Amino acid sequence: MGSVEEDTTTSSLLALEALLKRGQYTRSGQISLLTLDIVEKYVQSNCWKTAGDLITWLQDTAETLRKAAASETASGNLILRLIKIVRDDFTNRHRSRNPGLMSQNSVDSEQGLDFNLEIPELRSDVQNTIYELQSELELSAENIAEEADKHIHSNEVVLTMGKSKTVEAFLKRAAKKAVFEVIVAECAPASNGHELAHSLASSKIQTTLIADTAIFAMMSRVNKVIIGTHSVLANGGLKAIAGIHLVALAAKYYNVPVIVLVPMYKLSPEYPLSTDINKTTNRFVSPDQLLDYSDGDVYSKVCAYNPVFDYVPPNLISLFIFNIGSLAPSYIYRLLHETYPQIKR
C-alpha cells in the first residue's frame, strides 16, 4: 500500500498528465511551475532514499509527461536539468568522502559510482535546487527585460509577431528610456497580435498592426526583429509560433537581425528529426479558425490544417537573450552540455 505522500504525488502527476493530453494550458511557464511542484512533493516525501531512486523516478516522470504531449518540452527540460544536478551533487559529495577520486576527471568519476548509496545531505541539496528553479521561472521575464536598454534605441523600428509576455515586458522596459516604433504582425488565424498591439499602445508606445501578408513589404523599414519562441532546439533552431519562419526569412533578405527572447526552461536538448518539424512534435488545433463550418456542407470536401508551430533553422537567428544573458547561436551546444546530462542518441 502506497503512502499518503506517494498518493499525493501520483494524483498531482496524473492531473498534469491529463492537462497536457487535453491541451488545457496556455503557457509553457505554467506547465513548468506545475512540474516543479510535483517534483518538490516527491523530493520532500519518504518515497526515495538514494540518488538512484530519485533519478529513476525523474526519468519515468519525464517520459510520462513527454508521451502526454510530445509538442510540450518544458517539463522534460526541467526534469533533465534536475537529473544532471542530482548526478553532479552526488558525485561531488561522494568524491569529498573519497579523496582518491579527486584526481579523476568529472566524466570518469561518475563511471562506476553506486548511485544507490545513501547520502543524507542530498535531499536538502535537491530541495534548494528546486527553490532556485522556481525563482528562476518566476523572474525569467523580468531578467530578460533588464537587457532591453542594450538592444533597443531611440528612433528604431522593431518588428514582432503575435503575443509573447516576454517580448511585451522587454518592449515596455525599453520604452522607459527610448522612443521607438513597434510593428506587430497579427499572427493569423489566432490573431493574438491584436492584443499585444493594444497593450503596447496603451503604454504610449507607437504601434502599428499589420496583416501577416505585409511582413515582407514592411521589413525594409525595420531595424531589428524581436520575437519569443516555444523552444530552442539543440541545433540552435527554433520551434516557434506558426508564421515566424516567414518573418525570419524576410529579415534575412533585408539583413535585419533577429533577436530571440527565451527563458532557460525553453532550451531543449532535442534535435529536429527532420527539416519538417510538422512530422515530429508539432501540434494541430481546430481548423474552425480557418473555415466557417456553420455553412453546412460547403467545406465538407476541404481538408484544413491549422498547425501551431514553425521550424526556424539556426542560420536565420542573430542572437538569443536568455535570463542568464545574451548568447550567440553558436554557443547553444556548449550551453546544452553545461545544462543537461549526456544523452545517448
Side-chain angles (χ1 to χ4, degrees):
M1 183 179 295
S3 66
V4 174
E5 295 168 326
E6 185 176 5
D7 291 343
T8 301
T9 303
T10 301
S11 62
S12 297
L13 180 57
L14 289 173
L16 178 56
E17 182 183 10
L19 189 75
L20 288 168
K21 286 181 176 178
R22 293 194 296 265
Q24 294 178 330
Y25 57 93
T26 56
R27 297 185 299 111
S28 296
Q30 171 194 3
I31 295 301
S32 300
L33 285 170
L34 289 173
T35 301
L36 279 181
D37 181 62
I38 293 169
V39 174
E40 183 181 8
K41 289 177 180 176
Y42 185 82
V43 169
Q44 291 177 342
S45 73
N46 294 317
C47 302
W48 65 283
K49 294 184 180 299
T50 68
D53 296 338
L54 181 57
I55 290 171
T56 298
W57 181 85
L58 287 170
Q59 290 172 333
D60 292 343
T61 300
E63 181 64 13
T64 296
L65 297 177
R66 186 195 66 79
K67 289 180 178 179
S71 66
E72 183 54 62
T73 58
S75 293
N77 297 343
L78 281 170
I79 291 174
L80 283 175
R81 284 180 69 181
L82 278 167
I83 289 174
K84 178 172 173 56
I85 291 168
V86 170
R87 285 179 175 174
D88 290 350
D89 189 74
F90 176 88
T91 301
N92 290 335
R93 288 195 174 277
H94 189 272
R95 289 168 66 186
S96 67
R97 295 183 177 190
N98 299 271
L101 293 175
M102 293 298 290
S103 61
Q104 302 178 27
N105 63 46
S106 59
V107 176
D108 291 339
S109 65
E110 273 200 21
Q111 296 177 357
L113 285 182
D114 183 2
F115 283 93
N116 290 316
L117 293 175
E118 289 192 37
I119 295 183
E121 302 92 338
L122 186 65
R123 187 181 301 271
S124 60
D125 290 348
V126 177
Q127 287 176 339
N128 289 334
T129 297
I130 291 172
Y131 299 148
E132 290 172 3
L133 288 175
Q134 288 171 334
S135 178
E136 176 186 307
L137 284 171
E138 293 167 355
L139 297 175
S140 58
E142 180 181 336
N143 291 336
I144 291 171
E146 290 177 357
E147 297 286 310
D149 298 343
K150 302 176 184 177
H151 298 279
I152 299 180
H153 310 288
S154 291
N155 302 318
E156 287 189 329
V157 177
V158 175
L159 186 142
T160 189
M161 186 178 198
K163 184 181 189 301
S164 161
K165 286 189 174 295
T166 304
V167 171
E168 181 179 1
F170 192 85
L171 295 173
K172 288 183 176 179
R173 176 66 175 262
K176 293 181 178 180
K177 292 188 177 180
V179 178
F180 55 93
E181 179 184 352
V182 179
I183 298 174
V184 181
E186 65 177 351
C187 195
S191 298
N192 51 8
H194 295 205
E195 186 179 347
L196 177 61
H198 181 270
S199 177
L200 295 178
S202 299
S203 297
K204 310 300 182 184
I205 299 174
Q206 184 180 346
T207 307
T208 302
L209 179 68
I210 63 171
D212 298 340
T213 51
I215 288 171
F216 191 85
M218 298 295 288
M219 190 62 71
S220 61
R221 293 185 51 211
V222 174
N223 297 105
K224 59 195 59 171
V225 170
I226 297 179
I227 56 174
T229 186
H230 178 271
S231 56
V232 177
L233 302 175
N235 67 335
L238 307 181
K239 184 169 74 174
I241 198 71
I244 290 294
H245 191 201
L246 170 66
V247 173
L249 286 171
K252 184 75 170 181
Y253 182 86
Y254 283 104
N255 293 316
V256 175
V258 176
I259 300 174
V260 182
L261 311 182
V262 52
M264 275 295 294
Y265 66 84
K266 291 188 177 184
L267 176 65
S268 172
E270 296 183 2
Y271 286 83
L273 302 183
S274 70
T275 55
D276 183 6
I277 204 164
N278 293 333
K279 296 178 181 177
T280 57
T281 57
N282 209 333
R283 180 154 49 98
F284 292 82
V285 294
S286 173
D288 62 0
Q289 295 175 322
L290 305 173
L291 300 175
D292 184 3
Y293 288 100
S294 63
D295 290 341
D297 295 333
V298 175
Y299 298 111
S300 60
K301 296 183 179 180
V302 176
C303 292
Y305 294 95
N306 193 4
V308 174
F309 302 119
D310 258 350
Y311 170 66
V312 182
N315 64 300
L316 299 180
I317 308 303
S318 306
L319 184 71
F320 289 103
I321 301 180
F322 290 92
N323 46 293
I324 59 172
S326 303
L327 300 172
S330 59
Y331 193 85
I332 293 299
Y333 178 78
R334 181 173 178 179
L335 185 60
L336 285 168
H337 181 77
E338 294 172 350
T339 305
Y340 297 116
Q342 295 297 306
I343 301 172
K344 294 181 181 180
R345 297 186 179 279

